[in-house]
Amino acid sequence: MSKNPLASIIMNCHNGEKFLRKSLNSVINQTYKNWELIFYDNQSVDRSKKILKSFKNNKIKYIRSKKYLKLYEARNLAIKAAQGKYITFLDTDDWWGKNKLLDQILLIEKNNSTLIYSNVWMYNNK
């Protein structure tokens, strides 16, 4: 593996406060530590920004959209702010296992891949 390549995590948020803290904690607690989070606030009017700012982590970059955008537009703008060798997406209502980044970066580098995907587990909030 190249020497700990930077992973850029893109998180688009439009009123995502319900699971946001859990989602952000899953990033903060990754065993792979060379990451940046591009948090694209797509005109949220809930407590999303307050929750994000409570983490006080210099790896988190906050961008607020001037107007509401479709998801693909917001993601494309967030990607432009990314500095990492690899880009991954995490929605505000999703969270990762602690080794997600490490496992995927090792796999992608070992196989010289350009794309990787994984399983998903559904959580029933009821």
Side-chain angles (χ1 to χ4, degrees):
M1 176 164 81
S2 57
K3 186 150 174 69
N4 296 322
L6 180 64
S8 295
I9 304 160
I10 307 296
M11 183 179 284
N12 183 68
C13 179
H14 178 72
N15 299 331
E17 73 177 301
K18 185 173 183 180
F19 296 107
L20 183 56
R21 189 170 305 283
K22 185 170 182 112
S23 184
L24 292 168
N25 275 321
S26 80
V27 172
I28 300 293
N29 293 324
Q30 287 296 299
T31 55
Y32 189 83
K33 299 299 184 187
N34 195 19
W35 54 264
E36 65 176 357
L37 174 67
I38 312 298
F39 187 91
Y40 196 89
D41 184 346
N42 199 357
Q43 291 287 300
S44 294
V45 294
D46 65 356
R47 297 178 331 115
S48 294
K49 181 179 179 181
K50 184 177 181 178
I51 292 168
L52 176 77
K53 294 295 184 179
S54 73
F55 280 80
K56 296 180 175 97
N57 188 307
N58 62 3
K59 294 181 180 187
I60 299 173
K61 298 176 183 174
Y62 177 81
I63 301 170
R64 179 158 174 94
S65 181
K66 290 180 174 53
K67 65 177 186 170
Y68 179 79
L69 300 171
K70 293 180 180 177
L71 179 59
Y72 76 90
E73 294 173 307
R75 282 186 172 168
N76 284 337
L77 288 172
I79 288 169
K80 288 182 180 182
Q83 301 290 310
K85 178 177 180 182
Y86 299 114
I87 294 176
T88 185
F89 299 97
L90 178 61
D91 294 327
T92 58
D93 60 348
D94 297 333
W95 54 89
W96 290 340
K98 67 179 181 173
N99 294 318
K100 188 263 190 204
L101 283 178
L102 178 63
D103 290 346
Q104 288 191 329
I105 288 172
L106 287 172
L107 187 62
I108 205 168
E109 296 237 329
K110 177 183 174 187
N111 294 303
N112 198 25
S113 302
T114 56
L115 176 68
I116 194 166
Y117 61 92
S118 62
N119 292 332
V120 63
W121 287 270
M122 301 298 287
Y123 171 76
N124 185 342
N125 196 30
K126 296 178 183 177

